[in-house]
Amino acid sequence: MKTMKKILLIVSVLFIAVIAGIAFLVSTYDFNKFKPIATKAVFDATGRKLTITGDIEVALGFRPSLVLEHIKFENAKWGSRADLATLKRFDIQVALLPLLSGNVEIRRFIIDSPDILIELDEKGKSNLEFDVEKKKPEETQPEETGKDAIPLPEVNFKQLRIKNARVVFKDGKAKTMSAIFVDDFSLSGTLGDIIARNGMDLKLMVSGKLPEKFVQPLTQPLSFEKEFEVSSSFTSPAANKFSAQETKIVFDKNKINLSATVDISGKKPAAAVKVESEKIDLRPFLPEPEKPGKKTKRPGKKKSGRVFPRDPLPAEALNLADADITVRIAKILLPKIAMNDLKVDIALHDGQLEVKPVQAVIGGGKLDASVKLAAPRSKKDSKTAFSAALDISSLDVGQMLRDLEITDLFEGQLNVDVKLNSKGGSVAGLMAALNGHSKIIMNKALVYNGLLEFVGADLRASLFRIVNPFEEKRQATNINCFVNYFDFKKGIAQCSALVVDTDRLSLIGEGHINLRNERLDLSLKPSPKEGLGTKQVGKISISISELAKPFKLGGTLAKPALAIDTAEAAIALGKAAAGVALFGPVGIAAALADGNTGSKNPCLGAIDAAEKGVKYSQPNKTDQLKKVLNKTGSKVGQSIKDVGKDVGKDLGKGVKDVGNKLKGLFGN
């Protein structure tokens, strides 16, 4: 018995001595000798240099660990900096005892201060594309997936952390960049059986900062100011089924609650997603709308001269998965739209995408919309079916602009009715076959002249002629109505009604837009109002040619051109010439005041035509020219009456006689 004890004691001492010897050797061994092996393996795989300037530390025991410090990975030669990624410290520790039961327990996995740059050059090439010879892949046996397949061990995370991470994406083609700074990324729990896709139970916590503008120019220095937090729980309650519950996303003043389930057990994945929020402001994360009159250069893009791309629609993507998504947001702010009580239901099943309903309160009015896309049913049919409807009632444009903090220089309510359908293989194809109608009606609006500062100088001058044709010192212009109705038939948008009526002028338009070739052919005719009085007439400071400039909107959607409509200009010039020849400045105003449009409110007729979907009738141009001089005498006589009763009566009588004589030239 005593002999057995001595043997056990000797064995124990020897075992401890061996362990101590190994520990001593490990502690004294220079693991930096492995650096060349590691760097060569990385270079062979990527063609880039890996540099480890710090020491490699290895600790053995029941919880062995590996520590690497100060690591650099070389960037592409054309890159904007020398290193694609840098890392201050890499630290991993695992537990040995759980391995006896077939499990992997990662006690510690820490990545400290990674700085990663992903960038594209001006041609769109990524710095993640490695210039190495691609070897022919070796033939491998198919993986065992049956009963005899070797199960992978269950992986548990006690601590997985990424600290002080900085990731920057630069787009040399668009000259923009995006970035994110992660203060702390923490993941803990069980990864489960990766092969069976079951048993996952993980908790995620992320906090960090974003720039003021998520997408910004390359020349602008990065400044991380907007804080964000993300937390979620990921589980796999059954094989091939995953769930993300209690997901909360907080960035700046935005809070989003999200839940999702994904089932990949069927022929194609199926997902169900629910999004809820009290307020979302997406303006910092979306490109700012281009200011009117200011053109932004976008390098690297070849101008096709078209607005609607001809690239084939990725309709096959509609068949990749099924999904049901519900969105409920109390308030959402986009660069040009502010909405309250947003309700959106999205359903994707069997290649058909239906967004219905889309409901919201916008500018105090109601929005109701729907969109439907259907993928081609056969390989012979390459066209995607499209339909959309939009109904907006009592939209207070001024309130919406104030909500967006854009301007308070506009007041008015808008009503919109749009119904469209088409079938095509590209966006250009859909537009070329578009059918339906669009109707926009606005009654009683007030436009402050300061609003014109938001548009370009060339357009500002033309718009100022509409809102203030007599250059009065007025702060605002009353708009009686704006009516627009387009009828779409096989890609031709025919303008049935286009009327802008103010207290000083009426603007009536007609023509069409050819969506097949994207060409514009619209005529816009301004008509000063009758009965302006001598006060307005006395302040005319523009020339006859300026008053006689009807618009012709031509060119293309990509490059519209505003020019003088020569046919309409001849009519207006004839009126003005006759008026000024006979009666001076008073005659200009009286002659240019169109008796068919200027004296009556065209809003009622235009609205009625738009509601019925019929063409708004305008005065015949030939008859109008024929009657110019016939009307000039009586109009001027009426205008002169405003100067004084006695003088007006005499002049009016004289003018009437002149008018009667002129009638003989054109007949009764």
Side-chain angles (χ1 to χ4, degrees):
M1 192 69 177
K2 290 181 179 181
T3 304
M4 183 61 67
K5 286 182 179 181
K6 287 181 181 180
I7 294 173
L8 290 175
L9 180 60
I10 293 171
V11 171
S12 299
V13 170
L14 289 174
F15 179 76
I16 293 172
V18 170
I19 296 297
I22 293 173
F24 175 76
L25 290 174
V26 169
S27 63
T28 58
Y29 186 80
D30 186 7
F31 286 92
N32 292 317
K33 294 178 180 179
F34 288 100
K35 285 183 182 180
I37 299 174
T39 55
K40 184 180 183 305
V42 172
F43 185 83
D44 291 342
T46 65
R48 308 270 182 88
K49 187 178 178 182
L50 176 71
T51 305
I52 305 173
T53 57
D55 291 333
I56 298 177
E57 299 177 9
V58 177
L60 295 181
F62 291 109
R63 294 176 181 176
S65 64
L66 170 67
V67 177
L68 305 175
E69 290 186 332
H70 304 297
I71 306 167
K72 294 180 180 180
F73 180 61
E74 188 181 16
N75 197 7
K77 292 181 180 179
W78 52 262
S80 59
R81 74 178 192 189
D83 299 314
L84 184 152
T86 62
L87 183 62
K88 183 178 180 181
R89 182 183 176 90
F90 174 86
D91 184 351
I92 184 171
Q93 183 185 58
V94 297
L96 291 181
L97 292 180
L99 289 174
L100 299 176
S101 59
N103 296 324
V104 175
E105 183 179 300
I106 299 176
R107 303 289 302 179
R108 185 176 69 242
F109 190 106
I110 298 175
I111 298 176
D112 189 5
S113 302
D115 187 346
I116 301 170
L117 172 64
I118 301 172
E119 57 184 334
L120 305 176
D121 65 9
E122 293 184 353
K123 295 181 180 179
K125 184 179 180 180
S126 171
N127 64 341
L128 297 178
E129 296 179 25
F130 303 114
D131 298 324
V132 291
E133 257 184 66
K134 294 183 179 179
K135 296 180 180 180
K136 187 177 179 180
E138 297 179 2
E139 293 185 8
T140 57
Q141 296 295 326
E143 293 184 5
E144 297 181 19
T145 57
K147 294 181 180 179
D148 297 331
I150 301 173
L152 288 180
E154 185 177 272
V155 180
N156 298 315
F157 293 97
K158 291 297 181 182
Q159 184 186 29
L160 189 156
R161 294 184 65 190
I162 301 174
K163 303 187 297 181
N164 303 319
R166 184 176 184 265
V167 181
V168 178
F169 173 74
K170 290 185 177 181
D171 189 339
K173 195 173 182 181
K175 302 297 182 185
T176 60
M177 65 177 172
S178 304
I180 182 173
F181 184 84
V182 177
D183 290 316
D184 193 5
F185 175 99
S186 176
L187 185 68
S188 61
T190 302
L191 191 58
D193 189 335
I194 300 175
I195 295 296
R197 302 184 181 97
N198 192 11
M200 181 175 65
D201 187 4
L202 297 171
K203 291 192 180 298
L204 172 72
M205 292 286 293
V206 185
S207 62
K209 297 183 182 70
L210 296 170
E212 180 71 24
K213 293 293 182 182
F214 190 65
V215 179
Q216 63 184 49
L218 284 175
T219 54
Q220 184 175 331
L222 279 173
S223 176
F224 297 97
E225 299 176 4
K226 302 287 186 180
E227 294 184 354
F228 73 89
E229 291 182 1
V230 179
S231 62
S232 184
S233 297
F234 300 97
T235 61
S236 53
N240 296 313
K241 294 182 180 180
F242 305 93
S243 175
Q245 301 297 328
E246 300 178 359
T247 302
K248 295 182 179 180
I249 303 171
V250 179
F251 57 94
D252 200 17
K253 297 178 181 179
N254 303 282
K255 295 181 180 180
I256 301 173
N257 296 322
L258 183 146
S259 62
T261 59
V262 178
D263 185 351
I264 59 174
S265 60
K267 292 182 179 179
K268 57 183 175 180
V273 181
K274 186 176 182 180
V275 181
E276 294 179 333
S277 177
E278 290 297 318
K279 179 185 175 182
I280 297 180
D281 186 355
L282 294 176
R283 291 176 294 180
F285 304 95
L286 299 175
E288 290 185 359
E290 190 173 291
K291 291 183 179 180
K294 184 179 180 181
K295 295 181 180 179
T296 303
K297 292 183 179 180
R298 291 183 173 86
K301 276 193 174 182
K302 291 184 179 180
K303 294 183 178 179
S304 63
R306 295 182 62 89
V307 172
F308 307 127
R310 292 175 172 173
D311 303 323
L313 291 170
E316 63 277 1
L318 296 175
N319 288 305
L320 295 179
D322 291 337
D324 289 286
I325 304 172
T326 62
V327 178
R328 302 291 183 268
I329 302 174
K331 186 171 186 176
I332 182 168
L333 299 175
L334 301 172
K336 290 185 178 181
I337 299 175
M339 292 182 286
N340 295 307
D341 300 328
L342 176 65
K343 178 183 178 182
V344 181
D345 289 343
I346 304 172
L348 174 61
H349 295 281
D350 301 324
Q352 291 195 9
L353 174 66
E354 187 170 12
V355 185
K356 181 181 180 180
V358 179
Q359 295 176 340
V361 175
I362 176 171
K366 292 183 178 180
L367 176 146
D368 196 341
S370 64
V371 178
K372 190 173 183 179
L373 285 172
R377 289 299 181 185
S378 63
K379 292 183 179 180
K380 294 181 180 180
D381 183 10
S382 61
K383 295 181 178 181
T384 300
F386 161 80
S387 63
L390 172 65
D391 182 78
I392 301 176
S393 59
S394 303
L395 164 61
D396 189 331
V397 181
Q399 179 182 324
M400 186 180 71
L401 293 175
R402 288 190 292 272
D403 289 344
L404 291 170
E405 299 176 356
I406 294 177
T407 181
D408 57 357
L409 299 177
F410 187 94
E411 296 177 13
Q413 287 193 347
L414 198 66
N415 293 287
V416 179
D417 174 28
V418 178
K419 287 183 176 61
L420 302 169
N421 66 82
S422 185
K423 200 172 184 181
S426 64
V427 174
L430 289 173
M431 301 308 293
L434 196 64
N435 296 304
H437 71 266
S438 71
K439 176 175 64 179
I440 303 174
I441 298 175
M442 181 172 63
N443 279 314
K444 299 296 180 183
L446 186 65
V447 180
Y448 291 88
N449 294 339
L451 186 64
L452 298 182
E453 296 301 322
F454 284 82
V455 302
D458 51 349
L459 184 58
R460 185 189 309 139
S462 299
L463 291 176
F464 195 79
R465 289 178 54 218
I466 297 173
V467 300
N468 192 5
F470 295 98
E471 297 187 11
E472 298 175 272
K473 293 181 180 179
R474 308 169 67 198
Q475 292 184 347
T477 297
N478 290 308
I479 295 181
N480 298 321
C481 73
F482 168 75
V483 182
N484 174 232
Y485 187 93
F486 274 96
D487 187 34
F488 298 86
K489 289 184 179 178
K490 296 182 179 179
I492 304 296
Q494 188 69 40
C495 180
S496 299
L498 177 56
V499 172
V500 180
D501 186 67
T502 75
D503 54 351
R504 291 289 181 266
L505 174 142
S506 292
L507 181 74
I508 298 178
E510 61 180 4
H512 70 272
I513 302 174
N514 189 333
L515 299 177
R516 301 170 190 169
N517 57 20
E518 300 188 2
R519 298 204 65 84
L520 301 167
D521 186 8
L522 295 171
S523 296
L524 306 171
K525 177 194 168 189
S527 299
K529 293 290 184 75
E530 269 191 305
L532 293 174
T534 55
K535 291 184 179 180
Q536 283 75 25
V537 172
K539 292 185 179 181
I540 292 179
S541 61
I542 48 180
S543 65
I544 297 176
S545 62
E546 183 67 19
L547 281 172
K549 280 186 180 178
F551 304 99
K552 182 76 172 181
L553 185 60
T556 65
L557 292 174
K559 194 175 181 180
L562 195 63
I564 299 172
D565 189 336
T566 53
E568 289 287 356
I571 296 174
L573 187 59
K575 290 182 179 183
V580 74
L582 295 174
F583 309 104
V586 178
I588 297 176
L592 288 178
D594 191 328
N596 291 302
T597 57
S599 62
K600 299 177 183 179
N601 182 356
C603 294
L604 298 177
I607 293 174
D608 183 62
E611 295 288 357
K612 294 178 180 178
V614 298
K615 185 174 177 61
Y616 173 61
S617 60
Q618 300 181 50
N620 184 276
K621 295 179 183 178
T622 305
D623 294 340
Q624 190 178 20
L625 179 59
K626 187 176 180 181
K627 295 177 182 178
V628 166
L629 294 180
N630 292 351
K631 293 182 179 181
T632 301
S634 58
K635 286 183 180 180
V636 176
Q638 183 64 37
S639 298
I640 295 175
K641 286 180 183 180
D642 294 335
V643 179
K645 292 183 179 180
D646 296 333
V647 179
K649 287 179 181 179
D650 295 335
L651 288 177
K653 183 178 179 182
V655 171
K656 188 175 182 181
D657 292 338
V658 174
N660 289 333
K661 291 180 181 180
L662 290 173
K663 287 181 182 180
L665 296 174
F666 295 93
N668 295 323

